[in-house]
Amino acid sequence: MTFPGILSIVIFLPAAAGVVLLGFPRRHREAASWFSLGVSCAVLVLSIHLFTRFDSGRSGMQFVEFIPWVSSLELGYRVGVDGFSLLLVLLTALLTPIVLVSSWKSIAVRVPMWNFLILIMETGMIGVFCALDTFLFYVFWEVILIPMYFIIGVWGGEKRVYAALKFFIFTMAGSLLMLVAILWLGWYASTLPGGRFTTDVTRLFEIARTLPHGAAVWLFWGFAIAFLIKVPSFPLHTWLPDAHVEAPTGGSVILAGILLKMGTYGLVRYNLQMFPALAVEWAPFFAILGIVGIVYGALVAMVQTDAKKLVAYSSVSHMGFVLLGIAAMTTEALQGAILQMVNHGLSTGALFLLVGMMYDRRHTRMIEDFGGLARVMPVFATVFLITALSSIGLPGLNGFVGEFLILLGSFRSPILGTPVYTAIAASGIVLSAVYMLWMYRRVFLGTVPSEAVGEMRDLDRRETGLLIPLVLLIVWIGIYPNTFLAKTSSFSRELTNTLISVRDSSVLRPSGVDSTNTNNP
Amino acid sequence: MHDILNDTIASAPLWAIVVTGVATLLVHAWDEKSDKPVFWIALAGIGVSAVLTIWRAPVAGTAYSGMLKTGGAASAWTLLFLVATLLTLFIAWDSLGKAAAPRGEFTILVLFAVAGMIPFSAGNDLLAVFIGLEILSVSLYTLVGLTRRRFASNEAALKYFLLGAFAGGFFLYGIAFLYGAAQTTNIEDIARRFAQSNFPVLFLTGSALLLVGLAFKTGAVPFHMWVPDVYQGAPTAVTTFLITGGKAAAFGAFVTVFTMTLGHASARFAVVIGVLALCSMVFGNIAAIPQTDIKRMLAYSSIGHAGYMLIGVQTASVEGAGGVAFYLLSYILTSTGAFGVVAAMENEQGEGTRIEDFAGLGYTKPLLGALLSLFLFSLIGIPPFSGFFAKYYIFLTAIEHGDLWLVLIGVATSVVSLYFYLRVMVVMFFRQPGENQPVPEAGAWTMIAVVLSAAGVIALGLFPGTVLDLITSVF
């Protein structure tokens, strides 16, 4: 494979553009913004191209590239996508230009720096989803921390310093555990007969299955904790509301839309694919984390007075669904979880944008400061309603498809073995209707509380333009999800087959004891 | 005669530095205002020495009847010192010029310090190591007190001298014990007899005393008392030299004396050095948190970094030694960069190093602010900067050696270290500059040093392979 392949271009184009941006003369702020937008749109076009050229019939990784990096340690630049990562790459490529457009006016200071950070972050995010090397994965994973830290800290609200620090420390604590797990796993590969230290994910998939049970548990949790912090799963979620409330709108969109997905992506890619036996063993635990997240997030969202905080807590609830879908380990549930990751990126991303637009106009996000907006801003109210309904899971919109698949899959899951989880999770949908519609009523219906609210202007062309793609996709996935589900179906089927077969074999014998001989690479 | 010639050629890098040192001393004695020629001669001498080092690197051997190691690992250490010295000289030219401190004397003393570092780290005989240690230490004591009229500088020099002399005494006492036990001062012979010994009490005592002397120089807990005061009190250019060259020399000697030789003689050392590493990581990173002065904060953080490097030392393996050398290279580049920015921030009286003074630096001086952040991220160990790979490699060697506990402590303390490193960035980027805050002017030489360091930090972080292979190939 010649370098750079199309995937490498998608990964590194934003960062390269970011470096070019540093050389821009300070006077040309507009030019810097247009340049970044152009680059991110080019990345979007390229990833759509990737999406159409992706062969959903084939299993395994496609567009694979490999360059040796540190050959004495077998570290390599290994990238590739399967259907699962492809969707998330596409989501990232879609949200980045939208974020850039959305911050056109609201980010008034240090514009080039903002563009630079967003572009660097895009490279990091796409890189995380494409990396097929644990070392490379870790590098991309950490690269994201720095720009996000500055995004919250420089453009954030009043308690931004605290929020930025908390975000950084939580994530870093988790990822360093993951680093130890990565090192240990690589070293374990070198202790096998004829083995060498390796960070090649595809090889590690095989190698990890030969781990003795005791060591595997530690490694499993080394990865899992890092990802659960990022998801964020109850009780490791406390950094999220702070980060969201303090972050500027664009930062929140990226945080909710993509960064959280890195957590669930990691859970599937590493915990499920690398440690299937343990994943099956711990599935009920993850399912419990999921449903606790669903209910807890929804209940806390209900009592919020700050619209942005409400959306932030609704994220905890929605990501709980994804977690449940992953834990259920049936093809439907996994498909639903993957789709729900995309859905959440679209609808929550849109909700944060909309709340941000309210804030831009009134400089408050308190629900009580608004009322009767449906009359004042009819277009805005319509888009908000569609997004809110998508978030609730109204049939015909995207949220329904994802949540339905998750509920269906977890109901029948042989690994969870009981429909109790599904029953509790379903209550989350009701709760989400309560907090979303209640907020909608308070903000959009009723009387206009003050003259200032009455004078709020409706969406301008820029704002409408950036919401249109999101709304279109919300409806598209709601009506014809197969465009996207087809890409991931072979991935989901294969993974669930592995999980089920692992479960069946571990019913017969204690897990991981004598698999050493059968699976030796 | 023939031997002397061969030995001189083999140790040519050392001679180049000695000759340059003497030459600059003479030039400066002739004309007291000759700072500039002295500076240029020193740069030339360092360049010549570097070329000679690279030229001799493939031929590993010993010189002067087995007193000195030459080529191979010794070349790696020498190159580290030369890089550190070169960058320090750049920073010192501006920084000392601003403080009206004697630049000529500084340059001369730094050259003599390097002349001490080379035998200290590449000694094959404990006497050579000790002589190197003394040449290095005396130069450093003087350097710390370079700004005679500043009280802090005097205090630091006195403190360093008293404690350093004490530690030097321990070192010498250790040599005496080892000589008593092995009837030789040749390190490899000592290690061999040690390993064969049935009753190694004398060996153990002697080695433990050596360990005290070395741990003092590296600034490892519990021999770290001098570090914060000396690093803060010394002129910033001197601190840069201490934290880069000084640390490199100490670890060079540590690796030569322990990892490569005595470390193999007894497994007990691994535990002892491991505990030193643990204490240094925990104490250094926690004690850095409440600091309000950036020099003092970086001093405490350097104790923590000594801990990370000691993880590599205690594995007593080739990989560990290579890991330490790579870590040092990364640390030298990162620290000179960070101290270069600090030096630019200082005023004539050496003030302006409080973390508060950096408020809004990211906006008043975007380049300096961005570069300092880059160095701090590298110190935390975040990719794609060299500090990350250095830590990664050290942790990897420790895991291969079965020291997971040290890796876990290292990881935990890295999280702790986030707090004080990020705080500097909070001040630089998340706050506005104060009212009558001085806007720093970085001199051209400082900028060269800082930008070179930054380029090195990024290059080593993105493409560590070649350098790592080179370094590990010489041990």
Side-chain angles (χ1 to χ4, degrees):
Chain A
M1 193 75 181
T2 49
F3 177 84
I6 177 167
L7 202 55
S8 294
I9 297 177
V10 170
I11 296 173
F12 289 110
L13 186 62
V19 174
V20 172
L21 210 56
L22 289 180
F24 264 57
R26 217 178 282 181
R27 291 171 280 122
H28 302 308
R29 282 172 35 171
E30 285 268 294
S33 302
W34 279 109
F35 174 72
S36 326
L37 181 61
V39 168
S40 62
C41 286
V43 173
L44 176 61
V45 171
L46 283 172
S47 33
I48 292 173
H49 176 67
L50 214 62
F51 184 79
T52 49
R53 268 194 36 207
F54 182 86
D55 180 1
S56 34
R58 260 171 59 197
S59 72
M61 294 292 168
Q62 303 185 23
F63 306 105
V64 176
E65 291 174 41
F66 168 64
I67 311 172
W69 189 2
V70 181
S71 30
S72 49
L73 295 178
E74 302 255 312
L75 307 182
Y77 170 77
R78 300 178 173 91
V79 291
V81 284
D82 55 12
F84 178 34
S85 33
L86 181 70
L87 281 192
L88 294 169
V89 170
L90 196 62
L91 181 70
T92 311
L94 173 76
L95 285 182
T96 308
I98 290 180
V99 164
L100 284 174
V101 176
S102 81
S103 51
W104 208 264
K105 279 191 185 142
S106 53
I107 300 297
V109 287
R110 328 209 191 289
V111 178
M113 181 178 169
W114 168 268
N115 286 310
F116 171 75
L117 294 175
I118 298 276
L119 287 176
I120 294 292
M121 197 130 81
E122 185 173 18
T123 286
M125 293 182 297
I126 297 182
V128 162
F129 297 132
C130 295
L132 294 181
D133 181 286
T134 50
F135 182 80
L136 187 68
F137 177 79
Y138 185 82
V139 168
F140 282 129
W141 179 275
E142 292 280 279
V143 160
I144 295 166
L145 279 183
I146 301 174
M148 200 62 207
Y149 174 70
F150 282 111
I151 284 176
I152 299 176
V154 175
W155 292 276
E158 241 164 62
K159 279 165 60 194
R160 59 183 191 273
V161 173
Y162 170 76
L165 201 62
K166 196 168 177 183
F167 162 79
F168 208 116
I169 290 180
F170 263 73
T171 323
M172 186 91 182
S175 54
L176 281 169
L177 280 180
M178 176 166 76
L179 180 66
V180 177
I182 288 173
L183 284 167
W184 191 355
L185 198 57
W187 166 75
Y188 172 75
S190 70
T191 61
L192 296 173
R196 292 191 61 186
F197 180 84
T198 187
T199 51
D200 182 347
V201 169
T202 31
R203 276 193 60 211
L204 288 174
F205 282 162
E206 303 299 320
I207 290 168
R209 290 174 199 181
T210 69
L211 274 166
H213 187 261
V217 171
W218 285 104
L219 294 178
F220 180 81
W221 283 105
F223 281 105
I225 289 175
F227 298 139
L228 288 176
I229 289 177
K230 202 84 173 180
V231 168
S233 155
F234 181 88
L236 304 169
H237 67 283
T238 54
W239 62 271
L240 182 84
D242 287 314
H244 267 314
V245 170
E246 300 305 323
T249 302
S252 292
V253 173
I254 291 199
L255 192 58
I258 304 158
L259 260 53
L260 306 192
K261 272 74 208 177
M262 286 164 39
T264 41
Y265 172 82
L267 279 177
V268 174
R269 181 68 79 216
Y270 290 92
N271 289 79
L272 260 60
Q273 276 194 285
M274 214 174 257
F275 308 98
L278 281 163
V280 169
E281 201 176 304
W282 286 92
F285 181 74
F286 282 97
I288 290 171
L289 285 184
I291 56 172
V292 169
I294 293 173
V295 177
Y296 169 84
L299 289 177
V300 180
M302 218 180 290
V303 295
Q304 294 307 316
T305 51
D306 179 332
K308 197 170 187 188
K309 228 171 176 171
L310 186 148
V311 180
Y313 275 107
S314 85
S315 277
V316 176
S317 180
H318 285 125
M319 292 311 281
F321 270 102
V322 178
L323 216 49
L324 176 67
I326 292 172
M329 297 178 189
T330 57
T331 312
E332 295 90 357
L334 196 57
Q335 285 279 65
I338 295 172
L339 192 67
Q340 192 61 12
M341 288 187 214
V342 178
N343 290 340
H344 178 258
L346 296 173
S347 57
T348 308
L351 280 174
F352 274 121
L353 288 172
L354 292 161
V355 173
M357 289 168 189
M358 280 159 60
Y359 180 80
D360 287 345
R361 287 167 170 73
R362 288 285 296 121
H363 296 282
T364 170
R365 289 185 303 249
M366 290 297 147
I367 296 172
E368 60 187 12
D369 291 340
F370 296 94
L373 279 189
R375 249 170 302 156
V376 185
M377 308 166 70
V379 182
F380 180 76
T382 317
V383 178
F384 202 108
L385 186 62
I386 296 173
T387 323
L389 291 175
S390 137
S391 175
I392 296 166
L394 185 81
L397 298 176
N398 62 350
F400 171 75
V401 185
E403 283 174 2
F404 182 76
L405 281 172
I406 292 171
L407 293 177
L408 184 73
S410 60
F411 189 80
R412 299 201 302 215
S413 165
I415 284 170
L416 294 180
T418 156
V420 175
Y421 301 105
T422 318
I424 298 174
S427 76
I429 300 188
V430 181
L431 290 174
S432 77
V434 174
Y435 63 75
M436 271 298 165
L437 293 179
W438 191 30
M439 170 176 77
Y440 192 83
R441 201 204 71 195
R442 285 180 289 169
V443 172
F444 290 92
L445 309 178
T447 52
V448 180
S450 66
E451 228 170 84
V453 173
E455 283 165 5
M456 281 169 75
R457 59 199 161 69
D458 209 344
L459 301 182
D460 60 23
R461 263 187 296 173
R462 176 181 63 89
E463 289 165 333
T464 325
L466 70 94
L467 288 169
I468 284 175
L470 292 175
V471 173
L472 277 182
L473 276 167
I474 284 173
V475 178
W476 184 348
I477 298 179
I479 294 171
Y480 192 70
N482 217 24
T483 326
F484 303 97
L485 286 176
K487 299 282 181 190
T488 59
S489 61
S490 67
F491 167 80
S492 303
R493 207 170 325 108
E494 270 169 36
L495 179 53
T496 43
N497 285 344
T498 318
L499 291 163
I500 298 288
S501 69
V502 163
R503 186 193 76 116
D504 292 345
S505 58
S506 64
V507 169
L508 300 177
R509 55 164 201 251
S511 53
V513 170
D514 53 354
S515 59
T516 322
N517 304 325
T518 51
N519 264 339
N520 223 341
Chain B
M1 194 63 208
H2 194 64
D3 273 356
I4 289 184
L5 191 65
N6 276 343
D7 288 349
T8 311
I9 293 173
S11 55
L14 173 59
W15 281 111
I17 292 294
V18 171
V19 169
T20 318
V22 173
T24 48
L25 186 63
L26 288 175
V27 170
H28 200 257
W30 207 266
D31 175 10
E32 238 176 87
K33 293 189 196 70
S34 59
D35 287 355
K36 213 160 221 174
V38 165
F39 180 67
W40 284 109
I41 295 172
L43 291 193
I46 290 167
V48 170
S49 178
V51 171
L52 291 172
T53 313
I54 294 167
W55 172 54
R56 298 305 305 175
V59 203
T62 57
Y64 302 113
S65 330
M67 290 288 273
L68 272 186
K69 287 196 177 79
T70 57
S75 303
W77 297 119
T78 308
L79 274 180
L80 283 181
F81 307 147
L82 294 177
V83 169
T85 312
L86 187 72
L87 293 172
T88 309
L89 281 181
F90 285 172
I91 292 170
W93 183 257
D94 288 332
S95 154
L96 293 178
K98 192 157 56 178
R103 287 190 283 206
E105 278 93 333
F106 174 85
T107 314
I108 297 163
L109 284 168
V110 160
L111 286 171
F112 282 127
V114 177
M117 285 172 181
I118 296 175
F120 182 39
S121 66
N124 196 36
D125 190 291
L126 285 176
L127 281 181
V129 173
F130 184 71
I131 291 169
L133 170 67
E134 286 304 303
I135 299 176
L136 168 65
S137 300
V138 171
S139 312
L140 289 183
Y141 302 147
T142 325
L143 279 169
V144 170
L146 195 66
T147 44
R148 283 192 295 271
R149 286 182 192 80
R150 270 185 59 221
F151 178 70
S153 182
N154 281 318
E155 186 197 338
L158 195 61
K159 207 166 225 171
Y160 191 26
F161 171 66
L162 289 177
L163 288 173
F166 201 49
F170 271 96
F171 196 84
L172 196 58
Y173 201 21
I175 296 178
F177 266 99
L178 287 177
Y179 181 73
Q183 286 93 47
T184 174
T185 48
N186 183 295
I187 298 174
E188 274 156 15
D189 289 343
I190 293 174
R192 207 169 306 124
R193 300 213 178 134
F194 190 171
Q196 293 159 353
S197 166
N198 301 321
F199 184 67
V201 174
L202 275 182
F203 282 105
L204 283 175
T205 318
S207 309
L209 290 168
L210 280 192
L211 193 70
V212 172
L214 289 168
F216 173 84
K217 272 282 156 198
T218 54
V221 175
F223 309 104
H224 65 281
M225 301 332 180
W226 60 280
V227 172
D229 291 332
V230 172
Y231 283 14
Q232 189 187 7
T236 305
V238 177
T239 311
T240 317
F241 190 62
L242 282 173
I243 211 166
T244 56
K247 213 151 231 167
F251 272 100
F254 219 134
V255 168
T256 315
V257 174
F258 271 90
T259 307
M260 306 318 285
T261 42
L262 292 184
H264 298 297
S266 170
R268 278 170 243 227
F269 292 124
V271 182
V272 175
I273 300 175
V275 171
L276 288 183
L278 182 147
C279 296
S280 307
M281 289 187 287
V282 172
F283 176 80
N285 283 312
I286 290 178
I289 290 177
Q291 303 309 323
T292 53
D293 184 283
I294 192 160
K295 274 168 83 178
R296 203 172 176 85
M297 185 202 93
L298 288 173
Y300 277 108
S301 106
S302 87
I303 297 174
H305 284 282
Y308 297 120
M309 287 186 256
L310 284 175
I311 296 181
V313 173
Q314 60 89 36
T315 62
S317 63
V318 174
E319 292 81 17
V324 173
F326 187 89
Y327 200 109
L328 276 170
L329 178 58
S330 159
Y331 189 66
I332 286 172
L333 293 173
T334 320
S335 298
T336 35
F339 273 100
V341 178
V342 173
M345 290 292 294
E346 266 182 341
N347 63 11
E348 293 75 15
Q349 283 79 44
E351 291 156 348
T353 56
R354 286 174 311 150
I355 294 176
E356 293 290 299
D357 296 328
F358 286 69
L361 185 69
Y363 305 122
T364 50
K365 287 274 161 185
L367 184 61
L368 284 184
L371 287 174
L372 183 54
S373 319
L374 183 153
F375 297 125
L376 294 176
F377 280 125
S378 176
L379 285 174
I380 299 174
I382 289 184
F385 307 120
S386 62
F388 164 66
F389 192 80
K391 252 186 202 169
Y392 178 86
Y393 193 71
I394 289 266
F395 287 166
L396 177 61
T397 54
I399 283 188
E400 280 173 345
H401 194 247
D403 300 309
L404 189 68
W405 61 287
L406 278 175
V407 176
L408 289 174
I409 302 283
V411 160
T413 52
S414 297
V415 176
V416 173
S417 77
L418 281 178
Y419 192 78
F420 58 86
Y421 288 124
L422 289 182
R423 214 169 38 133
V424 179
M425 275 167 277
V426 166
V427 172
M428 284 198 300
F429 285 93
F430 304 172
R431 286 222 204 119
Q432 297 304 323
E435 283 284 304
N436 40 16
Q437 195 164 311
V439 176
E441 280 308 324
W445 285 108
T446 309
M447 276 324 283
I448 293 176
V450 172
V451 170
L452 276 180
S453 310
V457 167
I458 294 174
L460 274 186
L462 289 178
F463 308 105
T466 329
V467 175
L468 185 73
D469 290 349
L470 271 178
I471 287 179
T472 41
S473 70
V474 297
F475 283 100

